[in-house]
Amino acid sequence: MSKNLDNSRPFPDRSRIHLQADCENCFGLCCAALPFAASSDFAIDKNAGQPCPNLQSDFRCGVHTSLRELGFRGCTVYDCFGAGQQVSQVTFGGQDWRQAPDTAKPMFEVFPIMRQLHELLWYLKEALTLQPAQPIHGELSLALEETERLTYLSPDSLMELDVAEHRAYVNSLLLRTSELVRAEARDQHEASLRRKKNYGRGADLIGAKLGGADLKGANLRGAYLIAADLKGADLRVADLIGADFRDADLSGADLTDSIFLTQAQLNAAKGDADTKLPSSLTRPTHWTSFGA
């Protein structure tokens, strides 16, 4: 197991490369720490802290290439935002929970906390790239520095952390970022956006027929878009933070300038070669078969 991560100080740059899962530097934490229940996403029940039976001695998944076929679709959707390698190599200094069994319980408890912090880092780093949010870049930078500092806390300190309070603080800044970005879009396209239906935060759009819809600049924070038809929809500059895209059809949709979209959201959706994505995200491999 490689141990080439810097555990001496926070990452000095504003890139998001360390917020991408690096399974080679992780001790299979998503396969051991998290619970799941038999459903359309998982073939079996598993308790928190119980290693998945498919987890091998080298912390790799024994059925990785066949997860969807074997009923473990949820595993292909999940994204830890790089929390796995941070906990494994930095928080616990490269000690794995098999060779040091006393680390298992605290490591498994810290992992979901770190995952939340890394998700916030993902959003904050994106917010700092958005020019319309420049008036609050100073506040965003401070929030980023504080969040990065928290990711270097000791296991005990992380478990005592009030993550909900910190999320609320960061979310207030992300809301302001969203308003600034979408306001600029409204100013540039005032006539068309004024005529557009405003779905709003947490909208129930399960199974909605939105093929070809003009959703540019829409506020879809936390929207339920499960199994929605979004083929060919324009989602540029739309706020998609927390939107539920499970089984939503994004074939041919344009998400290039959407804000706060994550890999996990794309992994949960359907799409094809014509779906336009932000440069920071990758086209899920299962989309190939869907679009074929």
Side-chain angles (χ1 to χ4, degrees), residues 51-74:
C52 175
N54 296 315
L55 185 65
Q56 301 179 129
S57 60
D58 62 353
F59 301 109
R60 302 282 72 81
C61 175
V63 295
H64 180 72
T65 59
S66 305
L67 284 168
R68 284 184 167 257
E69 293 81 357
L70 294 174
F72 291 91
R73 183 178 68 163

Side-chain angles (χ1 to χ4, degrees), residues 157-169:
S157 295
L158 281 165
M159 286 186 280
E160 293 173 359
L161 179 66
D162 189 340
V163 183
E165 181 181 22
H166 188 68
R167 286 187 72 95
Y169 157 60

Side-chain angles (χ1 to χ4, degrees), residues 144-281:
L144 175 62
E145 291 171 9
E146 173 61 11
T147 306
E148 286 188 324
R149 184 189 70 80
L150 295 176
T151 66
Y152 283 80
L153 291 176
S154 67
D156 287 343
S157 295
L158 281 165
M159 286 186 280
E160 293 173 359
L161 179 66
D162 189 340
V163 183
E165 181 181 22
H166 188 68
R167 286 187 72 95
Y169 157 60
V170 172
N171 188 53
S172 67
L173 294 175
L174 299 179
L175 279 167
R176 290 166 63 190
T177 299
S178 173
E179 290 164 1
L180 289 167
V181 173
R182 291 183 300 105
E184 180 172 276
R186 284 194 298 272
D187 291 342
Q188 293 176 351
H189 307 277
E190 186 174 356
S192 63
L193 289 175
R194 189 167 53 242
R195 295 193 301 268
K196 192 178 303 181
K197 181 176 180 180
N198 183 17
Y199 290 105
R201 186 177 185 179
D204 184 353
L205 297 169
I206 297 174
K209 304 300 182 183
L210 296 169
D214 180 2
L215 298 171
K216 187 173 183 179
N219 178 11
L220 293 170
R221 292 173 66 94
Y224 295 96
L225 289 156
I226 302 167
D229 176 5
L230 289 161
K231 292 191 292 289
D234 186 350
L235 289 157
R236 290 174 294 167
V237 204
D239 185 345
L240 303 178
I241 196 168
D244 192 338
F245 282 108
R246 281 178 292 170
D247 292 325
D249 189 349
L250 294 171
S251 300
D254 189 349
L255 300 101
T256 48
D257 295 318
S258 59
I259 57 176
F260 304 136
L261 182 66
T262 68
Q263 190 64 49
Q265 288 171 294
L266 290 179
N267 293 346
K270 300 174 181 178
D272 63 11
D274 294 322
T275 306
K276 297 177 182 177
L277 305 177
S279 59
S280 59
L281 302 174

